[in-house]
Amino acid sequence: MATHHHVLIIGSGPAGLTAAIYTARANLSPFIIEGEPSSTTDQPGGQLMLTTEVENFPGFPDGIMGPELMGRFREQAARFGATFLTDKVTRVDFSARPFRVWTRDQEFTADSIIVSTGAQSLMLGLPNETALVGHGVSTCATCDGFFFRGKEIVVVGGGDSAVEEATFLTKFASKVTIVHRRSELRASKIMRDRAENNERIEFKWNSAVVELQGTDMLEGIVLEDTVTGERSQMNVAGLFIAIGHKPNTGLFTGVLDMEENGYLATRPGSSYTNIPGVFACGDVQDHTYRQAITAAGSGCMAAIDCERWLESEHASLA
Ligand code: NAP
C-alpha cells in the first residue's frame, strides 16, 4: 500500500532542504527521500557532504564545514515538520496523478514533486578507473585525504574544485601536483593565488592522465603532453579527480524534458518542468551557477511555485 504525501522531495542538498524548509513552513508537511549514505552520488546532504570548509555561504563569516551546514539545513526543515526517509528512489511514474515514486521496497504517491537530485563527479573514463576508486583513486578529498598522509598525490582538473581539493590535501600529502590539460587554471583568482602560493602544490601544465597503473591499488600514472604528445610516468599513491560534474537525471530519462547537456529543463525564471506539479531545483537543473547559495535560492523558488500550484489546483477542484 502506497503512502501518500502532499509534497514529495527527491534529494536533500541545499536545494531540496531549502524547498523542505519553505514547504514545511507553508504547512505542506513535505516528505524528503534524502538519498543513501553509502553512496558517493546520492548521499544525503548532497555534494556539500564531500566538501571541507565553505567560505562563501552568507551568514558564516568564519566559514563552516559543508556537512555541518547541511546538518543545520536539515534540522531547520525537521523543526517545521518535514519528514525524511534515508533511501534511494529507484523509479518514478509522473504520467498520471497522483504521481508515483518507488524506493527499493516501498511505494509512495504524491500530489506534487520537487526534484533536487543534484549532480555528481565526472570521471576520466580510463579502463581501470572505477575498479581503483577507493584504492588510490578518489573524487573526495574530505573523505579520503587522511589515507594519503606523507604520500605524493595528483589532482586532475583546473577549476575551483581541483584547487580546493589540492589545497585541502596539502594537510596530509608530502606533495600535491595539479595536472591540468591546459596551460592556465580555470579556477577563480582567489583560489588560484592560494594554490600558487602554497609551496606544497606543484603544477603540471598541458598534461592529460592517459593510464592508471596498478591492479589492486594505484601505483602510478602515465601522463601525455597535450601539446607534444610526449608521454611520462609518475609514481603516485593517490589520484583525486576534480574535473566537474554531471546532473543526476537517470531516473527522469523519457519522463522530464532535459536540456541538450542533460540538465533538467525548467521554464525560464521558475522551477516548472514540462509536467505540471513536478518542479526541479538546484544543480540538477542549473549548469551555470552551481553554488550552494544558488541551489538554496532555487529550492525556495520550487517551494513557492509548488505551494502556489497546489493552491491553484485545489481552487480549480473546489
Ligand atoms: P569546472 O569549473 O567545470 O572545471 C573543470 C575542470 O576540469 C576544468 O579546468 C576542465 O578543463 C577540467 N576537465 C574537464 N574535463 C576533463 C577531462 N576529461 N580531463 C581532464 N580535465 C578535464 O568544475 P569545478 O571545478 O568542479 O567547479 C564547478 C563549479 O563549482 C564552478 O562554478 C566553481 O566555481 C564552483 N566551485 C566553487 C568552489 C568554491 O568557491 N569554494 C569550490 C568548488 C567549485 P578546462 O579548463 O580545459 O575546461
Side-chain angles (χ1 to χ4, degrees), residues 56 158-161 164 180-182 186 243-245 290-291:
N56 52 10
D160 281 334
S161 298
E164 188 177 66
H180 184 35
R181 62 185 180 182
R182 294 188 295 127
R186 172 184 295 278
I243 59 171
H245 299 87
R290 295 180 297 181
Q291 301 299 299

Side-chain angles (χ1 to χ4, degrees), residues 8 20 44 47 73 80 84 86 111 113 138 145 149 151 153 167 173 225 260 269 278 315:
L8 190 152
Q47 293 173 76
F73 272 55
F80 294 111
F84 294 86
T86 309
D111 298 324
I113 302 277
S138 171
R149 198 170 276 275
K151 303 206 167 131
I153 292 178
T167 307
D225 189 303
E260 267 175 21
V278 178

Side-chain angles (χ1 to χ4, degrees), residues 24-51:
R25 291 193 76 255
N27 281 336
L28 291 169
S29 312
F31 175 68
I32 301 98
I33 304 184
E34 62 179 346
E36 214 168 33
S38 57
S39 162
T40 52
T41 54
D42 303 296
Q43 68 279 8
Q47 293 173 76
L48 280 188
M49 300 304 280
L50 309 177
T51 7

Side-chain angles (χ1 to χ4, degrees), residues 47-292:
Q47 293 173 76
L48 280 188
M49 300 304 280
L50 309 177
T51 7
T52 45
E53 192 151 11
V54 180
E55 290 178 331
N56 52 10
F57 200 87
F60 298 92
D62 301 322
I64 180 165
M65 298 307 274
E68 190 191 342
L69 181 62
M70 293 329 296
R72 290 187 183 209
F73 272 55
R74 194 181 188 281
E75 201 182 314
Q76 196 170 347
R79 180 183 153 207
F80 294 111
T83 52
F84 294 86
L85 174 71
T86 309
D87 206 343
K88 187 182 158 112
V89 172
T90 52
R91 187 158 69 96
V92 298
D93 181 355
F94 298 161
S95 62
R97 285 191 231 149
F99 302 120
R100 298 166 80 193
V101 170
W102 288 264
T103 59
R104 263 183 295 260
D105 47 20
Q106 291 182 76
E107 182 186 345
F108 302 92
T109 53
D111 298 324
S112 62
I113 302 277
I114 296 179
V115 175
S116 48
T117 46
Q120 62 176 279
S121 303
L122 288 176
M123 302 300 281
L124 295 171
L126 297 171
N128 49 348
E129 188 177 28
T130 312
L132 287 173
V133 169
H135 305 277
V137 174
S138 171
T139 56
C140 176
T142 325
C143 318
D144 302 328
F146 185 80
F147 302 119
F148 298 95
R149 198 170 276 275
K151 303 206 167 131
E152 293 202 8
I153 292 178
V154 160
V155 175
V156 191
D160 281 334
S161 298
V163 171
E164 188 177 66
E165 299 273 90
T167 307
F168 175 74
L169 288 166
T170 58
K171 289 185 188 174
F172 307 100
S174 54
K175 188 175 101 183
V176 179
T177 306
I178 295 182
V179 169
H180 184 35
R181 62 185 180 182
R182 294 188 295 127
S183 59
E184 60 177 356
L185 294 173
R186 172 184 295 278
S188 53
K189 188 171 180 330
I190 185 170
M191 306 282 275
R192 244 171 25 222
D193 289 349
R194 207 174 282 172
E196 281 163 6
N197 292 329
N198 188 327
E199 57 188 22
R200 285 210 194 172
I201 297 183
E202 286 185 10
F203 295 91
K204 235 177 173 43
W205 303 114
N206 297 322
S207 299
V209 179
V210 291
E211 194 185 319
L212 305 179
Q213 297 172 316
T215 38
D216 299 333
M217 201 71 197
L218 181 75
E219 287 161 12
I221 57 175
V222 176
L223 296 177
E224 186 173 281
D225 189 303
T226 53
V227 179
T228 63
E230 202 175 300
R231 292 199 168 198
S232 57
Q233 197 272 345
M234 266 179 96
N235 288 331
V236 287
L239 178 76
F240 285 78
I241 299 166
I243 59 171
H245 299 87
K246 68 172 179 199
N248 295 323
T249 52
L251 278 175
F252 312 109
T253 308
V255 175
L256 293 175
D257 284 354
M258 297 180 193
E259 308 278 358
E260 267 175 21
N261 56 11
Y263 284 75
L264 291 187
T266 46
R267 203 191 296 162
S270 83
S271 63
Y272 279 80
T273 66
N274 58 307
I275 297 184
V278 178
F279 304 87
C281 54
D283 283 13
V284 74
Q285 56 84 55
D286 169 26
H287 46 88
T288 310
Y289 302 104
R290 295 180 297 181
Q291 301 299 299

